[in-house]
């Protein structure tokens, strides 16, 4: 957090120790807010906190989080899975722990004491559950340490918590020890997940197979772990956190001095080489600077300054902050920004670089006023890219820090806007609900713990006076979750550390080290200067995305069709495309081509909507191609194949994730009736307990899955109806959902192209009983038959000498596509025509609620045909197909070895 004077211990060197000069207190042109008005807003913050906290305690506790629309607690395993979001939940009353020090900041000492007693009596940390190391560290470990800091402070005051004997600290150490197994890697970077009871990599842990983690996930441990070491005197925690930071520093790109977003925790190779200050990297930079503030180690400041110089050189394009490639930092990586970067102006205040902080914050404020909240992502012309808003606090955080640095009452008005929007649009009877879509105002049934931990803390401090607090907040540093750690920890014994490899300070201009405390060079003698910085940005946002809604032609509908909502089998959507001058063409290879002729739109407004739709679709397609799932395997294990035949299959983005299954799903195959699987199965009794074969077409993939699941099938294989298609020549096909929640689908569904599917159908015709194994990769025979004598002597002569290596090849080919989809082709010529080809298999972006021209968007209306092979292939025996099978197996093995 911002420290006005005595920024850090007296050991500090190379940094100007100038006090922050509140130049704007008397000089600002903005009208000062009266004391009474600030008190009114402060009390409003307390009332809103009470509404959220009390509803959590009444309706959700001891669950981890409150579901404010249904007024009940969110218990992991009892509610439909939300994917990685649920990794923050560990059945440890997350919201209560995350809120402990907020209660003290808001002067609720009685409630704090009661909450601490509840945590000590009710919370268990030894649950057999897999949690995110990053989230558990910042929310739970940070919450326990912040609560401990507040309890000690109150006890020393002599009026509260007199019974306290470091119980929260003991719980924090217990949790820290449970997180330590995640650091058992050759690099020192932690695994992204850990089992609280069993650690990682053991047979009972159900984790430890991951190979990648985000930079922020590995680099946001030092504050909590160092504080735990210095509170307890056990250096092991700080040592591990420092080692992780050292490794990330060594792996930075040496020319640009930037870090990527995702890194391999074993090899140290960058998996995603895009670099920014938002999601995936944000708190890594934050913790470098704050570790220097909290611990008094110049090394952290040195590293931060080197990174910061590169951020300002390559990423900062005031007021924008745009991701770049670490190896080509002058090349933008994307044309949109995510809302997590809203913390960065606050970090720039701590750094002392006020001008760009004002500029970026003003841009964020104008986007907020336009949409009521910051969308999860928005484009460089300030339009919505991802429409959700989970009540994130980062914008309020930066508003608080800018007010502390400038005392400009303008930021009090910004805080008032945040309060008003929360009450107007997010408040519900049982708390505050996240926004599902900022454009429509629809809600999502979630109230994350960080809302209570951070939002109300920053807003209260924004409007409060010093005398409103029990303690001097300047004696503490805020963690990324806004938990309070005392600066006095810098004087505690530090663990012995080995000399770290550092870049010579000569590589940086000396002036960089002056930018640590705000000083008169970086503040402004002209009181109109902040306003002059803000005005052009306000105008730019208004002009890029004008507030008035344009008048539309009758029949166009409002709002216009957006790419993330588009469904290729929706007649209404096709009609809207026609009105916008956009036509849809189904290509033979399964892709969908969109073509726009602006002159064929029914009006100029419709043509403009069409151009925007095409641009959104291209951005959506480009983003989806970066998020491809890895291929899967269909392995024929029955006589006479015995695991020798492996068919490359496409995954589904719903149902069982085979990459998380040790054994896969094994069973005999049966053709579904009807073959399309689009209605209730007529042969359900034969499908029960088997893997159903289905034909692509006529309905959504999720609908097929639901029908075979109702018939009690254990899995499904969808076979392409495009004759001649093959995994040899076509991009990996991925099946998406139907735009609705698909958590009800609990079986695996795989996709085979026509060639591979025909192999399976021919085997079924010849042998009648065919057993297959559905898995994330081909398994060796020993694994399939579990040590039994290997059958199939007739095929022993065809053993591939690499078979024994197959199961040991890199298992994590998740992050790249083995056959990259062609880039969307776009042409805009003088005839005002544009087109985009979208791989039908491009995955849906779940965060955006997209259901667009993706897999599963079936529009063909031709009647389904029963699985009769064509004349050429039906005459081919299994022996004649064996060469093809071996070729497929070799290709699959090579694909795994190359980690495609």
């Amino acid at each position: 957090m911002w420290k006005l004077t005595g920024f850090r211990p007296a050991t500090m060197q190379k940094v100007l120790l100038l006090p922050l000069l509140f130049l704007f207190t008397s000089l600002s042109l903005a009208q000062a807010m009266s004391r009474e008005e600030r008190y009114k807003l402060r009390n409003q913050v307390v009332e809103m906190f009470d509404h959220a906290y009390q509803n959590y305690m009444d309706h959700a506790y001891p669950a981890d989080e409150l579901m404010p629309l249904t007024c009940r607690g969110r218990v992991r395993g009892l509610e439909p899975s939300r994917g990685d979001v649920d990794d923050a939940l560990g059945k440890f009353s997350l919201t209560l722990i995350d809120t402990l020090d907020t209660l003290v900041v808001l002067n609720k000492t009685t409630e704090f004491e009661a909450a601490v007693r509840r945590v000590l009596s009710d919370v268990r940390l030894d649950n057999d559950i897999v949690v995110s190391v990053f989230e558990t560290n910042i929310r739970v470990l940070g919450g326990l340490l912040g609560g401990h800091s507040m309890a000690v402070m109150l006890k020393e005051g002599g009026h509260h918590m007199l019974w306290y004997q470091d119980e929260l600290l003991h719980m924090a150490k217990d949790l820290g020890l449970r997180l330590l197994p995640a650091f058992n890697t050759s690099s020192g970077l932690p695994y992204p997940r850990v089992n609280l009871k069993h650690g990682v990599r053991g047979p009972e842990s159900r984790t430890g197979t991951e190979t990648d983690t985000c930079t922020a996930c590995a680099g946001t441990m030092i504050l909590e772990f160092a504080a735990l070491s210095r509170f307890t005197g056990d250096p092991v925690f700080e040592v591990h956190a420092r080692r992780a930071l050292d490794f990330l520093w060594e792996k930075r790109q040496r020319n640009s001095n930037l870090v990527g977003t995702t890194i391999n925790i074993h090899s140290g190779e960058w998996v995603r080489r895009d670099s920014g200050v938002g999601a995936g990297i944000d708190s890594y930079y934050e913790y470098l600077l704050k570790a220097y503030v909290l611990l008094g180690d110049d090394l952290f400041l040195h590293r931060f300054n080197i990174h910061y110089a590169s951020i300002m050189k390559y990423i900062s394009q005031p007021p924008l902050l745009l991701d770049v490639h670490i190896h080509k930092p002058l090349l933008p990586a994307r044309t949109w920004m995510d809302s997590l970067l809203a913390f960065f102006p606050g970090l720039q205040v701590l750094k002392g670089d006020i001008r760009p902080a004002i500029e970026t914050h003003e841009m964020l404020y104008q986007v907020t006023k336009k949409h009521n909240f910051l969308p999860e992502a928005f484009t460089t012309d300030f339009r919505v890219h991802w429409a959700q808003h989970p009540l994130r606090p980062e914008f309020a955080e930066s508003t608080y820090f800018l007010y502390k640095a400038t005392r400009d009452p303008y930021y009090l008005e910004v805080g008032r806007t945040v309060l008003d929007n929360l009450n107007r649009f997010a408040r519900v009877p049982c708390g505050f609900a996240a926004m599902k879509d900022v454009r429509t105002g629809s809600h999502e049934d979630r109230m994350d713990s960080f809302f209570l931990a951070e939002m109300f803390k920053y807003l209260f401090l924004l409007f409060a006076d010093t005398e409103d607090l029990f303690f001097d907040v300047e004696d503490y540093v805020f963690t990324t979750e806004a938990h309070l750690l005392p600066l006095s920890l810098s004087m505690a014994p530090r663990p012995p550390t080995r000399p770290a490899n550092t870049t010579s300070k000569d590589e940086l201009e000396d002036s960089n080290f002056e930018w640590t405390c705000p000083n008169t060079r970086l503040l402004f003698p002209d009181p109109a200067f902040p306003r002059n910085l803000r005005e052009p940005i306000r105008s730019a946002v208004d002009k890029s995305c004008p507030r008035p809604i344009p008048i539309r032609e009758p029949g166009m509908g409002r709002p216009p069709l957006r790419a993330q909502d588009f469904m290729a089998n929706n007649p209404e959507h096709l009609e809207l495309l026609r009105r916008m001058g956009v036509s849809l063409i189904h290509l033979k290879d399964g892709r969908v081509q969109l073509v726009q002729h602006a002159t064929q739109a029914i009006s100029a407004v419709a043509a403009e909507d069409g151009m925007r739709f095409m641009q959104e679709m291209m951005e959506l397609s480009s983003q989806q191609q970066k998020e491809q799932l890895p291929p899967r395997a269909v392995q024929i294990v029955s006589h006479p194949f015995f695991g020798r035949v492996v068919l490359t299959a496409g995954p589904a983005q719903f149902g069982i994730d085979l990459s998380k299954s040790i054994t896969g799903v094994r069973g005999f195959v049966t053709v579904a009736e009807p073959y399309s699987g689009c209605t209730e199965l007529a042969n359900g009794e034969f499908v029960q307990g088997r893997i159903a074969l289905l034909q692509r077409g006529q309905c959504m993939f999720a609908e097929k899955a639901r029908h075979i699941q109702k018939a009690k099938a254990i899995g499904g294989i969808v076979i392409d109806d495009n004759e001649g298609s093959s995994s040899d020549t076509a991009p990996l096909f991925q099946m998406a959902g139907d735009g609705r929640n698909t958590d009800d689908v609990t079986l695996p569904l795989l996709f085979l192209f026509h060639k591979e599917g025909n192999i399976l159908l021919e085997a079924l015709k010849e042998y009648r009983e065919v057993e297959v194994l559905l898995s994330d990769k081909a398994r060796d025979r020993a694994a399939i038959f579990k040590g039994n004598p290997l059958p199939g002597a007739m095929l022993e002569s065809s053993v591939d000498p690499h078979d024994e290596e197959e199961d040991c090849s890199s298992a994590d080919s998740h992050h790249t596509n083995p056959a990259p989809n062609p880039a969307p082709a776009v042409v805009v010529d003088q005839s005002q025509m544009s087109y985009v080809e979208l791989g039908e298999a491009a995955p849906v972006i779940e965060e955006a609620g997209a259901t667009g021209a993706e897999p599963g968007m079936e529009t063909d209306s031709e009647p389904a045909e029963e699985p009769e092979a064509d004349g050429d292939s039906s005459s081919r025996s299994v022996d004649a197909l064996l060469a093809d099978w071996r070729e497929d197996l070799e290709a699959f093995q090579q694909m795994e070895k190359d980690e495609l």
Side-chain angles (χ1 to χ4, degrees), residues 181-201:
F183 290 82
N184 187 22
T185 62
S186 58
S187 66
L189 300 179
Y191 284 97
R193 298 175 184 84
V194 66
N195 186 300
L196 290 177
K197 186 172 184 178
H198 300 293
V200 296
R201 303 195 66 173

Side-chain angles (χ1 to χ4, degrees), residues 718-850:
V718 178
I719 299 175
D720 194 8
D721 59 346
N722 290 312
E723 184 175 338
S725 66
S726 167
S727 63
D728 298 334
T729 57
L732 177 69
F733 190 93
Q734 301 187 66
M735 298 178 288
D738 53 5
R740 298 181 292 154
N741 190 312
T742 53
D743 290 337
D744 60 313
V745 179
T746 57
L747 49 70
L749 192 70
L750 298 184
F751 178 89
L752 291 179
F753 282 107
H754 186 268
K755 172 188 171 183
E756 288 78 12
N758 196 54
I759 291 173
L760 188 57
L761 292 173
E762 283 297 317
L764 186 62
K765 284 176 59 178
E766 186 159 348
Y767 296 103
R768 297 187 178 275
E769 287 292 320
V770 174
E771 188 180 17
V772 300
L773 173 66
L774 311 183
S775 59
D776 62 330
K777 65 175 185 175
R779 306 298 172 94
D780 63 18
R781 302 173 73 203
I784 295 173
F785 297 103
K786 300 180 180 178
N788 294 329
L790 297 179
M794 59 177 286
L795 294 177
E796 286 301 326
S797 61
S798 64
V799 172
D800 191 318
H802 297 296
D803 274 357
E804 294 305 314
E805 300 176 8
E806 178 184 343
D807 204 46
C808 300
S809 62
S810 175
D812 193 62
S813 55
H814 305 9
H815 300 279
T816 51
N817 184 0
N821 285 342
V826 184
V827 174
V828 181
D829 59 24
Q830 295 178 352
S831 65
Q832 294 182 296
M833 184 201 80
S834 63
Y835 77 89
V836 54
E837 290 183 5
L838 302 175
E840 190 181 40
V844 170
I845 300 176
E846 294 293 344
E847 296 88 347

Side-chain angles (χ1 to χ4, degrees), residues 198-446:
H198 300 293
V200 296
R201 303 195 66 173
E204 298 175 313
S205 70
R206 306 187 304 283
T207 189
T209 59
E210 305 94 339
T211 61
D212 304 335
T213 193
C214 72
T215 301
C217 299
T220 310
M221 310 293 293
I222 186 64
L223 293 189
E224 291 83 2
F225 269 44
L228 182 58
S229 283
R230 300 196 181 196
F231 272 133
T232 62
D234 187 345
V236 64
F237 307 104
E238 184 172 346
V239 167
H240 279 85
R242 282 178 177 264
R243 184 184 175 207
L245 280 179
D246 289 345
F247 190 83
L248 289 172
W249 172 251
E250 289 300 314
K251 291 300 178 180
R252 74 192 186 283
Q253 211 290 323
R254 296 305 178 98
N255 292 324
S256 66
N257 280 316
L258 296 173
V259 293
T261 302
T262 307
I263 191 170
N264 185 293
I265 61 176
H266 303 298
S267 68
E269 295 294 321
W270 292 109
V271 178
R272 282 184 53 192
R273 295 179 170 86
D274 48 314
S275 183
V277 296
I281 303 180
D282 49 1
S283 50
Y284 163 69
Y285 294 132
E286 178 186 5
Y287 269 37
L288 282 178
L289 183 55
K290 290 184 176 179
Y292 161 70
V293 175
L294 179 66
L295 306 177
D297 189 336
D298 292 341
L299 178 66
F300 294 122
L301 174 64
H302 170 64
R303 292 178 179 178
F304 174 81
N305 278 328
I306 291 177
H307 283 315
Y308 187 76
S310 293
I311 291 170
M312 299 309 292
K313 181 177 181 180
Y314 300 118
I315 295 171
S316 177
Q317 302 178 33
L320 308 179
L321 292 163
L322 295 177
D323 284 17
V324 299
H325 296 276
I326 59 175
H327 293 92
K328 297 180 179 179
L330 298 177
L331 182 65
R334 62 189 188 191
T335 58
W336 48 270
M337 296 166 279
D338 64 76
S339 63
L340 285 173
L341 61 76
F343 90 101
F344 198 67
L347 190 65
Q348 289 179 305
V349 171
L350 188 59
K351 164 70 175 168
D353 204 359
I354 306 296
R355 174 173 179 154
I358 290 175
E359 292 174 329
T360 298
H361 180 274
E362 182 62 20
M363 178 269 292
L364 296 169
Y365 182 40
Q366 295 306 316
V367 174
T368 296
K369 290 203 296 185
K370 195 166 298 298
H371 302 294
N372 300 319
F373 300 97
L374 268 182
E376 275 291 78
F378 53 93
T379 62
T380 52
D381 61 352
F382 313 114
R383 298 177 186 270
V384 173
H385 185 69
W386 294 338
Q388 302 97 319
H389 174 75
L391 307 182
R392 294 199 184 277
E394 286 78 12
F395 179 68
E397 173 186 359
S398 288
T399 302
Y400 164 68
F401 281 118
L402 270 168
Y403 178 68
K404 291 288 287 185
T406 66
R407 292 295 180 182
D408 188 341
Y410 178 82
Y411 296 109
L412 297 177
E413 294 299 334
V414 174
R416 187 205 300 267
T417 300
V418 173
L419 276 185
D420 290 346
N421 288 344
L422 285 172
N423 271 323
R424 290 175 58 198
F425 303 111
R427 187 164 182 150
V428 294
C430 284
F432 291 84
M435 306 305 296
K436 185 177 183 179
D437 192 317
V438 297
R439 297 164 299 187
T440 64
S442 58
H443 290 119
E444 190 175 354
D445 199 7
R446 63 185 285 192

